[in-house]
Structures are given as C-alpha cells and as structure tokens.
Amino acid sequence: MKEVFIIFIIALLIAVFGVISIYSSNYHKEGEPWQSIYKRQIFWVCLGALLFFLMALSDYRRLWDWAYFLYLFVIGLLLLVFLLGAIRLGAQRWLHIAWFNLQPSEIAKPAIVILLARYFSKKTLFELSSSTAQSGFLRSFFIPFLFVLIPAGLIIEQPDLGSGMLIIFILVTMIFAAGVKLRYLLILAGIGLTSLPIFWHFLHSYQRDRIMVFLNPNIDPLGAGYTIIQAKIAIGSGGFFGKGWLSGTQSQLHFLPESHTDFIFSTFAEEWGFLGVGILLIFYFLILRLIIRAAEMVHDPFGKFLALGITLMVGIQILINLAMNMGFAPVVGIPLPLMSYGGSSIIATFFSLGIAASICRSSNYA
C-alpha cells in the first residue's frame, strides 16, 4: 500500500502546482469564467482523486473483461463528436454534456492501452514472443495496428494530430515489447517515411504552419510563431528562482496564449524558475519510476503491458509538452499531465495512475 499513497501524494502535488499556475495565469483576466476557472480544476482534481482510489483499491485484472467494451465505447464517443461535437478554435473535439465538456480523445488513451495490454498478454511473455514471431504479419502486427488505426484516424480528423500520433507511438512501442519481428517495425517505418509527402498534403493549413514555425519560429513572429517565442521568453525570464507567484510578466500581461492549457509549463517556469521546474521533473520521474518498478515486479503479463502502456502514455505526453514549450517540437496540443487545465485529461490521468497503483499493490503480494 505504500506505493499507492506515494503515487497519489506526488500526483496530487503536481495537480496543486497546476491549480496555482492556472489561478496565476488568469489572475488579471476580467469576467467570471476566467476568475472561476481554477475552481473547476480543483473539482476535476477531487473527482480524479476519488477515481484514483477506486481503481487503486480494485483488482486491475477486471479490466481484462472490460477491454473491448471500453474500446467500443470510445469509438462511439469519437463518432458522436462528428455529429454533436462542439467546435472551438477550428477543432471539433468536445461533447457538451450538461455543464461538462468531455474530450473523448483523452478517454481514448487509457482505453487503447487497456485493449493493447489484453491483446499482447494472452500468453506468457515467452510464449507471446515466440508466437508473434512465428504467426506472421497478420496476428502480430496488422490486427493490433487496425485496432489502433480506427480511433487514431478519428482523433486526427477532429483534428487532433498530437493525440492521434501519441496513440500510434504507444502501439509501436508495445509491439516491440511483445517481441514482434523487427522487420515488421522497419516495414512500418518505411511506409511512414514514404507516405510523408501524402501526409503533408492532408494536413490542415495551420498544422503545416506549426511545423514550419518549429523549423524557424521567426518566419512568422506575430502569427504562428508568436506563441513559441513568448513561451521561450517566459521560460528564460524565470531564471533560477523565478519571478514569484502572480508575478510572471508573459502570463500576467497576457503575452502568452493558452497559458493555462498547453503552455502551462511556461507559466510555471516563469514564476518558479529552474528550481521549481527541477522539483516538478523529479516528481514526474518518481511517478514513472514507481510504475516501471511495478512492471518489473508483477508476474502477470497483462499487468506488465498495462504498466508499460501507462508509463508510455504519461511519459510521452510530458516529453512532448515540455519540448513543445521550449521550441524543440511542433505545437500539437498535447496537455501536460495533471497540470494543464481540462477535466478529461485530469480524469484520464488519475484513472490511469489508479490502475498503475493497483498493479503496484498486487505486485507486493505476488
């Protein structure tokens, strides 16, 4: 049980960092919606914490029976987005349910991890590695790829390129971990590289602009490159100790767009500096290390693949968001887990960490 509480306490501390950063980024904005946005985040954190313990104190093996149901449920939500989804900033990603805007792409991430964990853990790890190496392209590669391609394609079409590509990357890594022949992954890489010109053609104009700005932010400093330039200024101006809470210029004076969502890391770095960022990264590392340790200790293949998928889901989002804020990756709309504003992301992350905590608890009794 010790690992369960450690994961929860660290996750809660990161969420608190997020709440105070959201409050700070909207402190000087006028209007009730902006002044109460941090209160909504507190509500989502409390709901996420409740869901965390619900999953942590349950047996994660029960998810085996729910894997395909969750997958079909997510597919239904993603299809429903195109019929009833709300449009914001040119993207149709949300379902308005009462007073809550649900983002199905966030719910899809843990659902697909659960499905892949079941698919790749039908046998022992040794038997799975042998069978996938001998069963050919269909069972070991094409079927799981088809499972993921459907929701990933729907997510990319919203458009949400970052979340769609994240899911595909999780699939490729889990295929590799399952012992699938390397040549299948090389075939996939070859297909991906050769299809880049076609892929570029189907990108939206703003997505092309983001990629070009990533290569040279100064190509459009007052347009597509503005956010990246302001994010870099915010991070660099924080120095070692930061400017202090409620004292950040880029976020407080509204130079930094989306300072409470995709670019909350820049807001946090400006106010808390290198020291605060270091503490935040240590917290993230400790959570991921505990999940990896659970994967090493649990004897159940389903638990191993679940822990691996959750580590990838959380870890890749952290890396992409930080790289995006620092100009090392294109802006793709990936939230920073537990910190960025958004109920769907908070709930999906706490749900996933609760599963990881259940695996930790089970491994202690294995």
Side-chain angles (χ1 to χ4, degrees):
M1 289 294 290
K2 181 178 68 174
E3 289 84 358
V4 173
F5 286 103
I6 293 175
I7 292 176
F8 174 73
I9 293 299
I10 296 174
L12 187 61
L13 287 173
I14 295 174
V16 169
F17 287 165
V19 169
I20 62 177
S21 297
I22 290 169
Y23 178 86
S24 177
S25 66
N26 297 286
Y27 181 65
H28 290 297
K29 291 182 179 179
E30 297 180 356
E32 177 61 24
W34 290 113
Q35 295 299 318
S36 63
I37 195 171
Y38 76 96
K39 297 178 183 177
R40 293 198 291 273
Q41 186 75 349
I42 292 175
F43 173 78
W44 298 127
V45 170
C46 293
L47 185 60
L50 181 64
L51 188 59
F52 172 91
F53 279 108
L54 180 64
M55 298 307 302
L57 299 178
S58 302
D59 188 349
Y60 70 88
R61 298 177 188 88
R62 294 180 181 177
L63 293 172
W64 172 281
D65 298 323
W66 287 86
Y68 289 105
F69 173 80
L70 290 173
Y71 175 78
L72 294 175
F73 177 70
V74 164
I75 295 296
L77 289 178
L78 291 172
L79 290 173
L80 201 59
V81 166
F82 292 99
L83 298 176
L84 305 174
I87 300 176
R88 293 181 182 177
L89 302 175
Q92 192 171 5
R93 305 175 185 172
W94 297 270
L95 289 173
H96 186 68
I97 303 174
W99 47 269
F100 174 48
N101 289 315
L102 175 68
Q103 189 172 356
S105 59
E106 292 296 326
I107 310 301
K109 296 171 185 175
I112 291 174
V113 165
I114 294 169
L115 176 73
L116 291 175
R118 168 167 176 162
Y119 185 85
F120 287 121
S121 61
K122 292 181 179 179
K123 301 181 180 181
T124 66
L125 285 179
F126 176 77
E127 292 172 337
L128 180 64
S129 178
S130 300
S131 63
T132 52
Q134 296 172 2
S135 61
F137 186 80
L138 181 64
R139 181 182 180 276
S140 62
F141 186 85
F142 181 76
I143 293 177
F145 185 76
L146 185 62
F147 273 132
V148 171
L149 187 62
I150 295 172
L154 292 173
I155 291 170
I156 292 173
E157 185 61 26
Q158 292 178 356
D160 187 354
L161 180 62
S163 296
M165 297 305 296
L166 169 68
I167 291 171
I168 292 175
F169 187 85
I170 291 174
L171 165 68
V172 172
T173 307
M174 293 184 73
I175 286 176
F176 179 78
V180 174
K181 286 182 178 181
L182 182 60
R183 72 165 178 263
Y184 294 152
L185 296 178
L186 294 177
I187 290 173
L188 176 63
I191 294 173
L193 290 175
T194 55
S195 63
L196 282 179
I198 302 174
F199 182 71
W200 177 266
H201 175 74
F202 284 100
L203 289 177
H204 293 264
S205 58
Y206 79 91
Q207 292 172 331
R208 295 190 197 122
D209 291 340
R210 286 178 174 180
I211 294 175
M212 296 304 296
V213 163
F214 161 66
L215 298 174
N216 181 14
N218 295 317
I219 197 173
D220 188 11
L222 298 179
Y226 178 79
T227 304
I228 295 178
I229 292 172
Q230 295 302 319
K232 288 181 178 179
I233 293 173
I235 294 172
S237 64
F240 189 83
F241 293 105
K243 294 181 177 179
W245 190 47
L246 304 179
S247 300
T249 54
Q250 302 306 113
S251 56
Q252 292 292 315
L253 300 178
H254 315 316
F255 289 112
L256 179 63
E258 304 300 326
S259 57
H260 63 295
T261 53
D262 295 345
F263 289 90
I264 195 168
F265 175 75
S266 298
T267 301
F268 180 81
E270 183 182 26
E271 295 187 345
W272 301 97
F274 180 81
L275 182 62
V277 168
I279 294 173
L280 175 65
L281 294 182
I282 289 173
F283 283 167
Y284 277 129
F285 170 79
L286 290 175
I287 284 182
L288 295 177
R289 183 67 190 93
L290 284 170
I291 302 175
I292 293 172
R293 183 172 178 270
E296 294 171 345
M297 294 183 63
V298 70
H299 300 296
D300 175 25
F302 181 57
K304 286 185 180 292
F305 279 106
L306 263 182
L308 171 63
I310 293 170
T311 302
L312 290 169
M313 187 190 81
V314 177
I316 295 172
Q317 288 187 98
I318 295 169
L319 290 176
I320 292 177
N321 185 274
L322 298 188
M324 186 177 72
N325 275 255
M326 294 183 287
F328 297 145
V331 178
V332 290
I334 293 290
L336 185 59
L338 300 172
M339 283 197 68
S340 292
Y341 174 77
S344 300
S345 175
I346 288 289
I347 289 174
T349 304
F350 269 110
F351 172 78
S352 302
L353 293 178
I355 296 172
S358 176
I359 297 171
C360 288
R361 190 169 61 88
S362 298
S363 64
N364 289 335
Y365 296 101

